[in-house]
Amino acid sequence: YSDTYFDAPGETLAARERELRVRTIAGPSGTRHLLTFKDRPVDEATQSKPEVEIAVSDPTAAAAILAGLGYPPGLSFTKQCVNYQVTRWGRQFLASLVTVPEIGGTYLEVETQAREDDVEPALSAIRSLLADLGVGENEWTTDTYTGAVRGARAA
């Protein structure tokens, strides 16, 4: 994954815990590009954020549109991800093993789709799946990749 985050001068989105990103995913089945908006966290313990994303055919044009709207590109970095589809309890999950070269370590992300009235059951299901995988709450982090990369670059 190659991610570029966009924000207004003064990082007004980041200050409100929101993110605007253009992602390029290169894999065995080809390359695709996504424009993603992440809203504020809905859960403090996990920092889970609602996301809305759409496919874009031209990431350079998407970046130009965002910059023209007052959101120039800021932070860019790459992630290596191995994704697994998991179905449990009638719910589909995306479990991703993630490494970000700049920050080291391997991380496990677990995501599932949820409507606004389904957030708590979805988070409960994620917690149960993590427990089944042997990942305890003491191993969770609320750090974000963007925060960790910024911290690594500032060091």
Side-chain angles (χ1 to χ4, degrees):
Y1 292 15
S2 178
D3 291 348
T4 298
Y5 289 81
F6 297 78
D7 206 342
E11 296 187 342
T12 59
L13 290 174
R16 292 179 290 157
E17 299 182 89
R18 294 177 168 162
E19 297 174 324
L20 191 55
R21 172 185 75 208
V22 172
R23 168 175 283 170
T24 297
I25 303 170
S29 59
T31 300
R32 60 190 177 114
H33 313 283
L34 300 169
L35 171 62
T36 305
F37 170 72
K38 291 185 168 195
D39 209 344
R40 289 184 203 100
V42 294
D43 180 64
E44 287 302 314
T46 62
Q47 289 295 297
S48 296
K49 293 182 173 187
E51 296 182 18
V52 178
E53 63 185 14
I54 59 169
V56 295
S57 59
D58 185 342
T60 303
I65 290 168
L66 294 174
L69 291 172
Y71 297 98
L75 183 67
S76 293
F77 59 91
T78 60
K79 298 174 9 177
Q80 285 78 44
C81 301
V82 179
N83 298 315
Y84 301 91
Q85 298 291 328
V86 179
T87 303
R88 291 249 177 108
W89 313 293
R91 186 180 289 275
Q92 295 212 355
F93 300 89
L94 174 65
S96 303
L97 290 174
V98 180
T99 58
V100 179
E102 289 182 73
I103 61 175
T106 300
Y107 301 87
L108 173 63
E109 293 181 23
V110 177
E111 301 178 31
T112 190
Q113 295 289 321
R115 297 175 317 278
E116 195 169 316
D117 63 346
D118 187 41
V119 171
E120 285 306 316
L123 289 169
S124 178
I126 288 172
R127 288 181 182 102
S128 294
L129 181 58
L130 287 169
D132 287 354
L133 294 171
V135 180
E137 288 187 38
N138 62 325
E139 297 174 277
W140 297 358
T141 181
T142 56
D143 295 341
T144 63
Y145 297 120
T146 53
V149 169
R150 281 188 182 103
R153 290 181 183 175

